[in-house]
Amino acid sequence: MSTQQNPNTAALAEAGVSIWLDDLSRKRLDEGTLEELVATRSVTGVTTNPSIFAVALADAGSYEGQLRELAAAGANVDEAVTALTTQDVRRAADVLAPVHERTGGADGFVSLEVDPRLARDAEGTARQAQELAAAVDRPNLMVKIPATVEGLAAITDVLAEGISVNVTLIFSLPRYRQVLNAWLAGLEKARENGHDLSRIHSVASFFVSRVDTEVDARLRALGTPEAEALTGQAALANARLAYRAFEQALDSERWRLLEAAGAPVQRPLWASTGVKDPALPDTLYVTGLVAPRTVTTLPEQTLEAVADHGEVAGDTVTGGYAEADALLDAVGAAGVSYQDVVDVLETEGLQKFESAWEELLGSVRDGLAAHR
């Protein structure tokens, strides 16, 4: 196995961006390709979601042995899904344990999402987050919780129990500010509960490419040259303004008190970084969002594109706030409703994860049936 880091991904890491692979499967773990990416692509974390596991579990051969054991033990479908996914996450966490140790616990995380059908159930989400944390039993686990209105309370409650959280499916700036508040409230409660704040980590997953997909479709439907000139820009503008909100949250007495108590910062995480419009550069949402104390999650295709030709030229975020404000204002003035866009994206995002979860359940149900 090569141990030479790619210069482009190394430059991204040097600029303060943690690279997390947006993929996991039993086959990847068995073949050692995760270790390879840690050694050669500066990968320091892994994210999963229902769609990723649905694809992984469709490859029944990799899971056949465990499915046979679960069937023999009389496990139901939900129990089997938990057993299968937590085993993969546990193994990935062990692969990344040296990264976690080397970075003093700041990196090397693996994320596992709660059942997306609980997205509107705060109590159910918090309860399952604790169950997943106990099942994986690794310090470098992050439990993923969708940033629905109901999810905000769950985020606070889970952090208050000392569990690290990856907040997912964030599309809008107002919702992101609510997430920041939920994170701070969770740390404050954790401190009251006597937890060591230095061990409670969090990221806020702000989705990128889907914003352009939705906004650009609406701009093109307007059919004017002025609207067409705005395409391919809203996602980066939105994400850059999220980073401004992040900086503003840290410029507060509330955060300074938590920081003094040892709390690590909740880093912005750029999710949905695979470019969906072939007219746009395939590394756009990576090289266009370089800033200190951030995470970028990359599907392997995007990771390899960055390794091949990604040009990392330092911070591409903090100097662009005025331009980003003006761009989103122009999109709104053209007739595209920001609020409607983000509402649609959240609804569709949850629907996609629920559909993937049903697909996952179906694969596991068939796998159990084959061994009974």
Side-chain angles (χ1 to χ4, degrees), residues 21-371:
L21 178 69
D22 194 29
D23 186 56
L24 186 62
S25 67
R26 186 75 49 95
K27 182 178 181 181
R28 181 181 292 284
L29 290 163
D30 289 343
E31 294 181 352
T33 59
L34 178 56
E35 289 97 329
E36 178 82 14
L37 294 174
V38 171
T40 66
R41 297 292 185 264
S42 300
V43 167
T44 58
V46 167
T47 53
T48 69
N49 60 44
S51 300
I52 285 170
F53 277 125
V55 172
L57 267 293
D59 177 19
S62 299
Y63 297 89
E64 186 172 0
Q66 192 179 5
L67 281 166
R68 185 182 299 111
E69 293 172 3
L70 289 164
N76 63 36
V77 174
D78 287 329
E79 291 167 342
V81 167
T82 298
L84 292 160
T85 57
T86 55
Q87 179 162 314
D88 282 0
V89 168
R90 194 179 304 113
R91 287 180 60 185
D94 289 343
V95 170
L96 290 161
V99 176
H100 191 65
E101 184 175 350
R102 184 179 75 241
T103 59
D107 222 325
F109 288 95
V110 183
S111 296
L112 176 62
E113 190 161 340
V114 296
D115 183 337
R117 296 172 299 180
L118 297 172
R120 304 295 183 189
D121 178 357
E123 290 185 9
T125 293
R127 183 168 55 251
Q128 192 183 65
Q130 294 181 55
E131 292 169 355
L132 292 174
V136 174
D137 192 26
R138 295 293 187 274
N140 53 333
L141 170 74
M142 280 191 178
V143 179
K144 286 180 84 170
I145 298 175
T148 57
V149 170
E150 297 83 358
L152 296 170
I155 291 159
T156 295
D157 290 344
V158 173
L159 288 165
E161 294 301 318
I163 298 169
S164 295
V165 173
N166 177 339
V167 184
T168 190
L169 282 178
I170 307 172
F171 296 98
S172 80
L173 296 166
R175 181 60 52 81
Y176 177 46
R177 293 187 185 96
Q178 292 176 313
V179 167
L180 286 163
N181 181 66
W183 161 64
L184 292 169
L187 290 181
E188 288 162 348
K189 288 188 175 182
R191 182 179 54 191
E192 293 171 9
N193 292 340
H195 290 291
D196 179 357
L197 297 190
S198 70
R199 296 177 176 272
I200 309 173
H201 291 263
S202 186
V203 293
S205 297
F206 204 86
F207 278 53
V208 187
S209 67
R210 296 187 196 180
V211 173
D212 270 346
T213 300
E214 184 67 24
V215 169
D216 289 359
R218 297 180 184 216
L219 287 170
R220 290 187 173 116
L222 294 171
T224 67
E226 293 80 9
E228 180 65 32
L230 296 171
T231 61
Q233 301 175 73
L236 287 180
N238 198 40
R240 286 166 179 161
L241 294 177
Y243 194 82
R244 181 175 65 181
F246 161 71
E247 291 184 313
Q248 290 168 341
L250 300 191
D251 187 24
S252 67
E253 185 64 18
R254 189 180 182 190
W255 164 244
R256 283 188 279 272
L257 289 171
L258 290 166
E259 185 179 32
V265 70
Q266 183 192 63
R267 291 180 290 171
L269 179 153
W270 312 125
S272 183
T273 57
V275 173
K276 300 184 173 54
D277 184 347
L280 297 174
D282 58 359
T283 64
L284 177 67
Y285 303 126
V286 182
T287 58
L289 292 173
V290 177
R293 296 190 292 188
T294 58
V295 179
T296 186
T297 59
L298 308 179
E300 191 164 14
Q301 182 178 358
T302 305
L303 176 62
E304 290 307 314
V306 172
D308 181 66
H309 53 266
E311 296 182 10
V312 179
D315 186 338
T316 53
V317 173
T318 58
Y321 299 150
E323 183 180 353
D325 271 326
L327 187 283
L328 291 188
D329 285 346
V331 169
V336 175
S337 166
Y338 179 87
Q339 191 59 53
D340 190 60
V341 164
V342 297
D343 286 347
V344 165
L345 288 172
E346 180 178 301
T347 299
E348 287 184 349
L350 287 172
Q351 288 173 344
K352 288 176 181 177
F353 277 176
E354 287 177 12
S355 296
W357 194 260
E358 292 297 336
E359 182 182 342
L360 173 59
L361 291 173
S363 296
V364 173
R365 188 178 293 110
D366 292 344
L368 290 173
H371 297 290

